[in-house]
Amino acid sequence: MGHRCCSKQKIKRGLWSPEEDEKLLRYINTHGHKSWRLQRCGKSCRLRWINYLRPDLKRGSFTAEEEQIIIDIHRILGNRWAQIAKHLPGRTDNEVKNFWNSCIKKKLISQGLDPQTHNLLSSHRRSSASTISNMHKKSNSIFIMSSHTPNAPVETTFQTFSSLPKPPPNIVQTPSTIVTSEYQTSAIVSNKFSSDLPYDLLVNNGSNICSPSYMNPTAVELSNNENIANWVSRVNVDDFSGQTLEEVTQVQVQQEKDKICEDTVTDVREANKDNLERSVSFESSNFDFGLLESVLSSEFISHDLSCMDELAWNF
DNA sequence: AATACTTTCAACCGCAGGATC
DNA sequence: AGATCCTGCGGTTGAAAGTAT
């Protein structure tokens, strides 16, 4: 069964001809993109405009950077192409989806990764990695560690896991397993939700972490500098070969905390100087609430968030 | 050169939610 | 209240292009 508007009348379907494109462009230039009732189904016109005719679209193949962004966000959000596309200016959800299905998916599989979960596929797991892999399932961090075998191809060096926080604050989970660089693997470092980490800034005012209205405006403003992508940090396991994961964890977490706290403390002081009473415009904010909301409401973070209530910004 | 097979990606489908009449 | 339209989304399809035999 076709779309309602298409089934009612004889409307052209299939590929668009250059003449039709031109006609649609002329129509949009004259009438704007408010009404889509042409000889084609309105839905088809709209789609053609969004996916092909829009002037701000970027053409050509995806760059390595774009690919990495897609992988990183997909790891957190899953197949939410529209959300992912929002972080790639000039790219459409359809484009991202097609690129994923035709390229990235295969690449991940060839690397032994499950494209849906980003975990190692069972067939690629070795005993030395299984411990870490299982650990990942239990752990609650969005820290990512990457490692590679000395002879591994460059594109296989980002084998990453991630997950999001569940346990109560102040508890930094530190799985103790020897980290080696002999096997290409990834490992969870620790729980990022310690009480003095930047998430606190975002949730210091209530249980509904997803809603900006529950957030402390000052805190949100201060967080504007931190894009969600920066929440995911990478460390190189090779630098810590031979150390226990616990040791690596403590060092990395401390460094990350120090850096973040340093930044946020500076920001807070700056903000205090600037008079904290001024209101914050969410619309003008660079902070991506859409993605934040997506992340927080994704199945990755389906855990009970009530523990967030306990978080407080103790400054 | 011809055919078969694979890949790519534009377009479609179906659904949901909101706005309008 | 119900019908219709618009918008947005993720999944799927199939024609065209590319590649292998």
Side-chain angles (χ1 to χ4, degrees):
Chain A
M1 193 181 93
H3 194 244
R4 264 203 305 265
C5 60
C6 304
S7 56
K8 278 184 180 176
Q9 42 191 302
K10 285 183 182 174
I11 289 179
K12 194 177 174 193
R13 299 172 58 181
L15 291 177
W16 282 68
S17 67
E19 292 76 25
E20 285 180 296
D21 281 344
E22 200 183 326
K23 194 173 179 181
L24 178 59
L25 272 173
R26 257 190 282 120
Y27 186 88
I28 289 169
N29 287 334
T30 314
H31 300 92
H33 32 84
K34 294 288 177 192
S35 169
W36 295 106
R37 298 170 123 190
L38 297 165
Q39 284 176 352
R40 290 243 185 187
C41 158
K43 199 171 177 176
S44 179
C45 294
R46 186 183 144 268
L47 212 63
R48 183 66 178 170
W49 167 255
I50 289 171
N51 287 336
Y52 193 81
L53 297 176
R54 245 169 51 197
D56 57 326
L57 289 179
K58 193 195 267 187
R59 308 276 173 175
S61 43
F62 282 78
T63 64
E65 192 186 347
E66 286 177 315
E67 182 178 330
Q68 194 55 53
I69 290 171
I70 294 172
I71 294 171
D72 283 342
I73 303 180
H74 184 277
R75 184 187 301 119
I76 299 168
L77 299 182
N79 297 359
R80 297 174 73 171
W81 310 118
Q83 282 291 333
I84 296 172
K86 281 176 188 169
H87 296 267
L88 298 164
R91 303 294 190 184
T92 66
D93 54 348
N94 209 32
E95 220 177 347
V96 171
K97 180 172 57 184
N98 283 334
F99 182 58
W100 176 271
N101 286 327
S102 62
C103 297
I104 301 180
K105 208 168 164 182
K106 287 170 194 166
K107 208 178 248 184
L108 291 178
I109 291 171
S110 74
Q111 291 172 20
L113 292 171
D114 183 333
Q116 282 310 309
T117 63
H118 295 255
N119 291 338
L120 275 174
L121 289 165
S122 54
S123 58
H124 284 73
R125 275 190 198 134
R126 292 191 197 170
S127 55
S128 60
S130 61
T131 311
I132 290 175
S133 180
N134 290 334
M135 213 167 60
H136 150 252
K137 289 173 188 164
K138 294 172 190 167
S139 185
N140 297 284
S141 170
I142 62 170
F143 276 76
I144 293 170
M145 294 180 75
S146 67
S147 166
H148 60 88
T149 49
N151 300 321
V154 175
E155 62 264 33
T156 65
T157 59
F158 281 111
Q159 293 225 10
T160 52
F161 296 142
S162 70
S163 62
L164 286 164
K166 177 172 72 173
N170 305 319
I171 297 175
V172 175
Q173 290 194 331
T174 52
S176 50
T177 301
I178 298 293
V179 174
T180 84
S181 60
E182 104 186 32
Y183 185 75
Q184 178 188 331
T185 185
S186 307
I188 292 306
V189 178
S190 83
N191 172 18
K192 198 173 180 175
F193 266 62
S194 184
S195 65
D196 50 354
L197 290 176
Y199 284 85
D200 308 343
L201 291 171
L202 298 173
V203 298
N204 70 340
N205 229 5
S207 56
N208 191 345
I209 187 171
C210 295
S211 168
S213 64
Y214 284 85
M215 296 175 179
N216 178 306
T218 304
V220 171
E221 183 183 33
L222 295 173
S223 302
N224 287 349
N225 296 331
E226 292 287 325
N227 184 290
I228 184 81
N230 294 334
W231 294 4
V232 178
S233 61
R234 291 198 177 82
V235 292
N236 195 334
V237 176
D238 291 341
D239 296 336
F240 301 94
S241 182
Q243 296 182 36
T244 67
L245 187 56
E246 190 165 5
E247 289 165 342
V248 175
T249 297
Q250 284 170 358
V251 171
Q252 287 297 325
V253 168
Q254 195 51 52
Q255 286 175 357
E256 189 74 16
K257 283 162 70 174
D258 289 346
K259 182 179 175 301
I260 290 163
C261 288
E262 199 179 303
D263 292 344
T264 51
V265 163
T266 306
D267 285 345
V268 167
R269 286 182 177 146
E270 287 296 323
N272 281 335
K273 275 186 207 162
D274 289 352
N275 184 355
L276 293 178
E277 287 175 10
R278 65 196 160 95
S279 63
V280 173
S281 165
F282 289 108
E283 286 72 28
S284 64
S285 164
N286 291 327
F287 190 82
D288 190 337
F289 289 114
L291 181 57
L292 172 64
E293 193 164 354
S294 304
V295 170
L296 295 173
S297 60
S298 72
E299 59 271 26
F300 249 125
I301 191 168
S302 58
H303 316 304
D304 180 8
L305 286 170
S306 59
C307 61
M308 300 304 171
D309 291 342
E310 298 169 41
L311 296 173
W313 175 240
N314 299 316
F315 187 73

